[in-house]
């Protein structure tokens, strides 16, 4: 429901409790980020471009993760399906270690999933998938196939930084592609920016307590974390506005 006062633009009314329902939350996130069907189509159109870039992106991501012991330690415990020798410390890992190859396969599937989706409706199973990706990094199973497996716990500070890193690498790769005019590239980068900030919320909501509703996920960071999803959305919107401002400066919008 929306309210209007003194002829100003209608203000949408969002009940805090409604955001615990995924489809309703997605509707709000998309509305706040101005994520449209056109954005979804732009992302899907990059599938032929992103495919060849995936190996380079994967190597960049895991080179970064293995650059710090605090992020590399998540890959020391035995990974599902790996029956070989397990490292005893992060320093024993490299890009070709079976433990890392397993995680690279998951990220490859994730990136392909992002550009393969065609249903951007609020009820799409695509959003359920992104939400479960968030859950599985908190130590909870997330996906049925992970039940009974060793938990994967990655603190939110590393998750947030990695999403920013991935966004930067994807944007740089897309902007470097030949055969697409700069205006179209900017539209695509803006679409990815919106999507990855929505993904950011679908991570953070499983770590932080929501003060409005007092909802506390199993992996909650703290009982005093206020409005983390609103902060995430605002930063995402600012990022999109910055790209748009740059485009205007270049005379592209």
């Amino acid at each position: 429901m929306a309210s209007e006062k003194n002829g100003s633009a209608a203000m949408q009314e969002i009940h805090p409790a409604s955001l615990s329902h995924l489809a309703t939350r997605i509707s709000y996130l998309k509305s706040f980020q101005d994520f449209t069907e056109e954005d979804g189509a732009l992302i899907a159109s990059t599938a032929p471009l992103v495919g060849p870039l995936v190996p380079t992106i994967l190597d960049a991501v895991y080179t970064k993760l293995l650059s710090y012991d605090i992020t590399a330690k998540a890959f020391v415990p035995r990974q599902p399906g790996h029956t070989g020798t397990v490292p005893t410390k992060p320093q024993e890992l490299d890009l070709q270690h079976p433990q890392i190859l397993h995680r690279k396969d998951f990220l490859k599937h994730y990136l392909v999933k992002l550009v393969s989706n065609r249903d951007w409706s609020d009820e799409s199973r695509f959003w359920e998938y992104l939400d479960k990706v968030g859950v599985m990094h908190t130590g909870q199973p997330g996906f049925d196939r992970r039940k009974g497996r060793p938990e994967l716990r990655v603190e939110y500070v590393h998750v947030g930084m990695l999403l920013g890193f991935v966004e930067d690498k994807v944007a740089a790769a897309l902007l470097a592609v030949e055969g697409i005019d700069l205006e179209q590239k900017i539209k695509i980068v803006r679409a990815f920016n919106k999507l990855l900030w929505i993904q950011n919320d679908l991570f953070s909501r499983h770590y932080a307590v929501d003060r409005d509703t007092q909802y506390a996920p199993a992996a909650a960071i703290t009982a005093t974390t206020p409005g983390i999803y609103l902060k995430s959305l605002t930063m995402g919107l600012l990022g999109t506005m910055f790209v748009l401002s740059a485009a205007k400066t270049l005379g592209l919008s």
Side-chain angles (χ1 to χ4, degrees), residues 22 117-129:
L22 183 59
N117 184 52
R118 296 297 183 273
D119 180 6
W120 301 95
S121 66
D122 299 342
E123 296 78 17
S124 172
R125 296 185 66 180
F126 173 72
W127 304 116
E128 293 182 20
Y129 169 78

Side-chain angles (χ1 to χ4, degrees), residues 78 80 139-152:
R78 184 179 298 278
Q140 303 299 310
F143 297 94
D144 288 342
R145 65 178 180 273
R146 288 196 56 82
K147 291 180 179 178
R149 294 180 176 180
E151 71 172 38
L152 172 65

Side-chain angles (χ1 to χ4, degrees), residues 132-160:
K132 289 178 180 179
V133 169
V135 174
M136 68 171 280
H137 285 81
T138 67
Q140 303 299 310
F143 297 94
D144 288 342
R145 65 178 180 273
R146 288 196 56 82
K147 291 180 179 178
R149 294 180 176 180
E151 71 172 38
L152 172 65
R153 172 74 188 194
V154 180
E155 297 306 321
Y156 179 69
V157 59
H158 314 305
V159 170

Side-chain angles (χ1 to χ4, degrees), residues 52-66:
L53 300 174
V54 166
T56 300
I57 294 172
L58 291 177
D59 282 349
V61 166
Y62 282 92
T63 296
K64 177 63 70 173
L65 290 173
L66 294 178

Side-chain angles (χ1 to χ4, degrees), residues 65 69-75 133-140 151-163 200 203-204 206-208 218-222 225 228:
L65 290 173
D69 61 349
I70 197 169
T71 48
K73 69 179 183 180
F75 309 116
V133 169
V135 174
M136 68 171 280
H137 285 81
T138 67
Q140 303 299 310
E151 71 172 38
L152 172 65
R153 172 74 188 194
V154 180
E155 297 306 321
Y156 179 69
V157 59
H158 314 305
V159 170
M161 289 298 97
L162 182 60
L163 277 175
N200 183 60
F203 270 105
S204 65
H206 298 296
Y207 286 89
I221 308 171
T222 171
T225 305
I228 191 169

Side-chain angles (χ1 to χ4, degrees), residues 33 53 65 80 100 142 154 167 199-200 210 234:
Q33 292 290 344
L53 300 174
L65 290 173
I100 298 301
V154 180
E167 180 177 11
Q199 172 69 92
N200 183 60
D210 188 329
T234 302

